[in-house]
Amino acid sequence: LKDQFDNLDKHTQWGIDFLEKYAKFVKERIEIEQNYAKQLRNLVKKYCPKRSPKDEEPRFTSCIAFFNILNELNDYAGQREVVAEEMGHRVYGELMRYSHDLKTERKMHLQEGRKAQQYLDMCWKQMDNSKKKFERECREAEKAQQSYERLDNDTNATKADVEKAKQQLNLRTHMADENKNEYAAQLQNFNGEQHKHYYIVIPQIYKQLQEMDERRTIKLSECYKGFADSERKVIPIISKCLEGMILAAKSVDEHRDSQLVIDCFKSGFEPPGDFPFEDYSQNIYRTISDGTISTPKQEGMRIDTKTTVGKAKGKLWLFGKKPKPQSPPLTPTSLYTSSTPNGSQYPIFSIEPVHYCMSDIKTGKPRIPSFRSLKRGYFCLQGPALEDFSHLPPEQRRKKLQQRIDELNRELQKETDQKDALIKMKDVYEKNPQMGDPSSLQPKLTETMSNMDRLRMEIHKNEAWLSEVEGKVAARSDRRHSSDINHLVTQGRESPEGSYTDDANQEVRGPPQQHSHPNEFDDEFEDDDPLPAIGHCKAIYPFDGHNEGTLAMKEGEILYIIEEDKGDGWTRARRHNGEEGYVPTSYIDVTLEKNSKGA
């Protein structure tokens, strides 16, 4: 390689270019990691919930697991940033610094090689010049010798010309000898410098270039390793992030989520009762017993108004208003009778009467059984939320009251701790007056005691409401349990009014009985007949009744009860003049009739 200086120059330049190329690769990888981390953080920020009140915090295990996964993903993005930062400092930064140093060192070595080559070229030129001068002087000496010999042999030449030629010969010979010595010295010097150049200077420069290139290769190897180590260092933390995601997935509990939904929406209301059987064959039985199918006489069909009201209201009509008392008569061809094993008869309708009944039902205006509760909730939403949460269903009301009691207890504990701290500070001030005035703490202590009394009163009031709700819920549970038992053990045929009898005639002529199930249909569409009174009440407190659907009352006023409290804190009442509306159950003293609905 002693004569491959240019090739080594090109090789070292290629090595530096390759180093910079790898540095560019690392830079682009760093940008990818940074962009990846940034996009992951933006994704987490997009799907992360905003700060919400405590009541709106997610409680479902699936939601909590998803938010935990988002947190782990955010940590994962942080580790990608760590990878990018580590690669930037340990790999890319080191490569750029080393590349700069490598260029400087290569430039220095190449300059030394060029200087050595220039010095050798200069020595060669000096030797070559002395050689040419020696050659020229030798030719001039030969010419002087030939001229001297010619004049010396010429008999016609004068002695002066011969002496002059001899002197010229001596001069040229002397100059040739001097140039000969100079050429010999330059030649020796050049040979020495050339030996030194090719055996000492150039090998040393090449060795330095070789060491430089080897260090470049070693640096690339170290950067390769550092590139991998930057990723390997965060693998344990990334593994923990992935394990956290797996644990979050395993923490999803479908049964707990279902229970949360139940607890969240459980109202505590009783489900609607069974629909009574409505016997449309009463007129048919009368006509059969009278031996005719014509319309019964008005004398036989006269019924007391009060009885009609109770009877009508005891029924739960499925669609719209109840059918008119006078229905179109059925044709004889469409009516048949059949006997049961015990001897009783029941009607069998042909296709035409069934089609007629279905048409009559379809033309009726349907009602939504639960619309009354929605309307009652609408009353409550029109005004401000009640302090005792009576506008909520019983179960939700109980939860809200329990939450409020817990919060009040925490506040009371804080006030108690503050009072104890003030008392201790006051004792310290009394023992050491120089530390402060004990009387300065008295206003704050008085205010704390007042707050404690206020909180105790609030707790007592909410506990009373809670006891009331729990008592109602327990009573409903017992009543529903007993109703279920009675429903299972009851035998016989149910009359349209809810009584049980074996005689079809008693179903028509007997006194109407109130049905045990509350009316669950919309009161927005009022019937012609008013609801029967099931008891009376006395107003304990006055109520203004500003909201729509409520009834204002004065303290001590007596009202009729036409509908019990369904667990929402409202009772439907009526004045003597017929005005109806809802009043707070906690504002009245209720007395129900023993044989009335809901007793």
Side-chain angles (χ1 to χ4, degrees):
L1 295 178
K2 293 178 182 180
D3 55 347
Q4 300 296 319
F5 183 83
D6 294 336
N7 291 333
L8 291 179
D9 184 7
K10 294 178 182 179
H11 174 74
T12 53
Q13 182 61 42
W14 172 85
I16 293 176
D17 293 341
F18 183 79
L19 186 70
E20 292 179 345
K21 184 178 180 180
Y22 179 70
K24 185 179 179 181
F25 162 77
V26 175
K27 181 181 179 182
E28 293 181 0
R29 169 65 189 277
I30 291 171
E31 292 176 354
I32 291 174
E33 291 289 346
Q34 290 174 345
N35 293 333
Y36 180 46
K38 183 179 180 181
Q39 291 177 2
L40 284 179
R41 288 193 183 277
N42 290 336
L43 181 66
V44 171
K45 184 178 180 181
K46 178 180 178 181
Y47 286 94
C48 230
K50 304 295 186 295
R51 293 186 178 272
S52 58
K54 187 176 181 181
D55 295 340
E56 299 180 5
E57 291 182 357
R59 296 174 295 169
F60 296 106
T61 57
S62 57
C63 296
I64 295 174
F66 176 63
F67 297 146
N68 291 336
I69 290 175
L70 289 178
N71 292 331
E72 297 294 344
L73 188 60
N74 191 53
D75 295 340
Y76 177 80
Q79 296 307 310
R80 303 319 307 178
E81 292 177 348
V82 170
V83 171
E85 185 178 359
E86 185 73 13
M87 287 183 179
H89 290 294
R90 185 175 177 181
V91 182
Y92 180 72
E94 187 66 24
L95 283 174
M96 296 307 295
R97 286 191 298 270
Y98 186 75
S99 176
H100 181 269
D101 297 339
L102 196 64
K103 289 179 180 179
T104 304
E105 184 180 359
R106 173 180 174 275
K107 183 178 179 181
M108 181 184 67
H109 295 324
L110 293 178
Q111 286 178 352
E112 291 178 355
R114 290 190 181 97
K115 287 181 181 180
Q117 188 66 38
Q118 290 174 0
Y119 179 71
L120 183 63
D121 293 341
M122 184 186 67
C123 294
W124 181 83
K125 286 181 180 180
Q126 290 177 355
M127 184 270 298
D128 188 57
N129 291 333
S130 63
K131 177 182 177 181
K132 290 179 179 180
K133 190 176 181 182
F134 171 64
E135 183 180 3
R136 187 174 59 251
E137 291 297 331
C138 286
R139 283 197 302 267
E140 291 295 331
E142 288 178 359
K143 288 179 180 180
Q145 185 178 3
Q146 290 176 2
S147 178
Y148 169 74
E149 289 178 353
R150 188 180 65 248
L151 289 175
D152 188 35
N153 294 326
D154 189 6
T155 58
N156 295 322
T158 62
K159 188 177 180 180
D161 291 335
V162 174
E163 287 293 329
K164 184 178 180 181
K166 185 177 180 180
Q167 289 178 2
Q168 186 69 23
L169 176 61
N170 293 332
L171 177 62
R172 291 299 178 181
T173 303
H174 178 71
M175 291 180 65
D177 292 338
E178 288 182 356
N179 287 325
K180 180 181 179 181
N181 295 331
E182 184 180 356
Y183 168 65
Q186 291 295 333
L187 180 60
Q188 185 178 3
N189 181 52
F190 173 74
N191 290 332
E193 293 297 333
Q194 180 174 291
H195 185 275
K196 180 180 178 182
H197 176 80
Y198 285 108
Y199 288 95
I200 298 176
V201 178
I202 290 299
Q204 185 176 359
I205 293 174
Y206 285 179
K207 185 177 181 181
Q208 292 173 353
L209 290 174
Q210 180 182 357
E211 292 175 355
M212 180 192 73
D213 193 66
E214 289 176 353
R215 289 198 304 271
R216 176 190 63 83
T217 307
I218 293 173
K219 178 60 68 176
L220 280 174
S221 175
E222 292 176 354
C223 291
Y224 294 159
K225 184 179 178 182
F227 185 84
D229 288 340
S230 301
E231 185 86 21
R232 186 173 59 182
K233 283 183 179 179
V234 299
I235 287 179
I237 303 178
I238 291 177
S239 299
K240 290 183 180 179
C241 295
L242 298 177
E243 289 176 2
M245 294 181 185
I246 295 175
L247 291 177
K250 291 181 179 179
S251 66
V252 176
D253 188 352
E254 66 278 9
H255 301 296
R256 182 180 175 185
D257 287 354
S258 299
Q259 189 61 40
L260 285 175
V261 174
I262 295 171
D263 295 340
C264 181
F265 298 109
K266 185 178 180 181
S267 64
F269 290 134
E270 292 184 11
D274 297 337
F275 285 94
F277 175 77
E278 300 175 3
D279 192 357
Y280 295 99
S281 63
Q282 298 174 7
N283 296 333
I284 299 173
Y285 290 149
R286 287 197 186 92
T287 55
I288 292 176
S289 62
D290 294 339
T292 179
I293 310 179
S294 61
T295 305
K297 296 181 179 181
Q298 296 295 330
E299 290 80 4
M301 293 298 294
R302 186 171 297 171
I303 302 175
D304 186 43
T305 305
K306 251 171 138 183
T307 305
T308 304
V309 170
K311 181 177 179 180
K313 292 302 177 180
K315 295 180 179 180
L316 298 179
W317 302 101
L318 181 59
F319 299 103
K321 293 187 178 182
K322 66 187 178 204
K324 299 296 182 180
Q326 300 293 336
S327 59
L330 301 175
T331 60
T333 58
S334 63
L335 180 65
Y336 300 91
T337 57
S338 176
S339 300
T340 58
N342 58 2
S344 61
Q345 295 181 348
Y346 60 92
I348 300 178
F349 294 95
S350 64
I351 298 177
E352 292 180 0
V354 172
H355 175 72
Y356 170 77
C357 294
M358 292 302 295
S359 301
D360 186 54
I361 290 175
K362 290 180 180 178
T363 56
K365 190 174 182 181
R367 291 186 183 178
I368 303 174
S370 60
F371 185 75
R372 180 184 56 195
S373 60
L374 297 176
K375 182 179 70 175
R376 186 175 303 158
Y378 174 77
F379 296 156
C380 301
L381 292 175
Q382 293 298 318
L386 300 178
E387 183 184 6
D388 58 352
F389 300 112
S390 58
H391 61 287
L392 297 176
E395 189 66 24
Q396 303 301 322
R397 183 186 179 192
R398 182 185 65 80
K399 292 181 180 178
K400 289 289 185 181
L401 289 173
Q402 187 62 50
Q403 291 177 1
R404 181 187 288 174
I405 290 173
D406 295 339
E407 292 175 359
L408 292 173
N409 284 327
R410 287 194 291 270
E411 293 180 6
L412 180 61
Q413 185 61 38
K414 291 181 181 178
E415 295 292 337
T416 304
D417 296 340
Q418 185 175 0
K419 183 197 72 170
D420 296 339
L422 290 172
I423 291 175
K424 291 180 180 179
M425 188 179 295
K426 185 177 180 181
D427 294 339
V428 172
Y429 286 174
E430 289 176 353
K431 294 178 181 179
N432 302 299
Q434 67 275 10
M435 297 183 65
D437 185 11
S439 60
S440 62
L441 301 176
Q442 189 61 36
K444 185 66 177 177
L445 189 60
T446 304
E447 180 183 357
T448 304
M449 298 290 289
S450 176
N451 292 337
M452 291 175 62
D453 294 339
R454 176 182 58 81
L455 291 173
R456 288 193 183 98
M457 292 177 63
E458 289 290 332
I459 292 174
H460 180 71
K461 180 169 62 174
N462 284 274
E463 286 178 347
W465 288 334
L466 181 61
S467 300
E468 176 187 354
V469 173
E470 290 177 346
K472 288 184 178 180
V473 172
R476 273 192 178 83
S477 178
D478 296 341
R479 190 162 61 247
R480 183 163 58 248
H481 181 66
S482 61
S483 175
D484 293 341
I485 295 176
N486 294 333
H487 180 73
L488 292 174
V489 302
T490 303
Q491 302 293 333
R493 187 156 50 90
E494 184 182 2
S495 68
E497 291 79 12
S499 60
Y500 297 88
T501 177
D502 292 333
D503 189 357
N505 295 328
Q506 291 181 5
E507 293 178 359
V508 179
R509 299 184 179 87
Q513 299 293 327
Q514 299 294 340
H515 199 272
S516 61
H517 299 290
N519 183 16
E520 290 294 337
F521 290 96
D522 182 15
D523 294 329
E524 188 71 16
F525 309 95
E526 296 294 339
D527 293 337
D528 297 335
D529 299 327
L531 293 172
I534 60 175
H536 63 276
C537 66
K538 180 179 181 181
I540 305 175
Y541 308 105
F543 179 63
D544 50 14
H546 289 320
N547 294 332
E548 182 182 356
T550 58
L551 181 65
M553 61 182 180
K554 300 178 181 179
E555 184 177 356
E557 184 177 358
I558 304 298
L559 303 173
Y560 290 115
I561 301 297
I562 58 177
E563 186 178 316
E564 284 188 85
D565 182 7
K566 302 300 181 183
D568 54 3
W570 295 89
T571 300
R572 192 172 181 182
R574 181 196 300 138
R575 281 203 180 93
H576 295 282
N577 59 5
E579 183 180 2
E580 297 181 1
Y582 289 94
V583 297
T585 307
S586 58
Y587 283 41
I588 56 176
D589 183 13
V590 180
T591 302
L592 298 177
E593 300 297 336
K594 292 183 179 179
N595 60 347
S596 64
K597 182 195 308 181

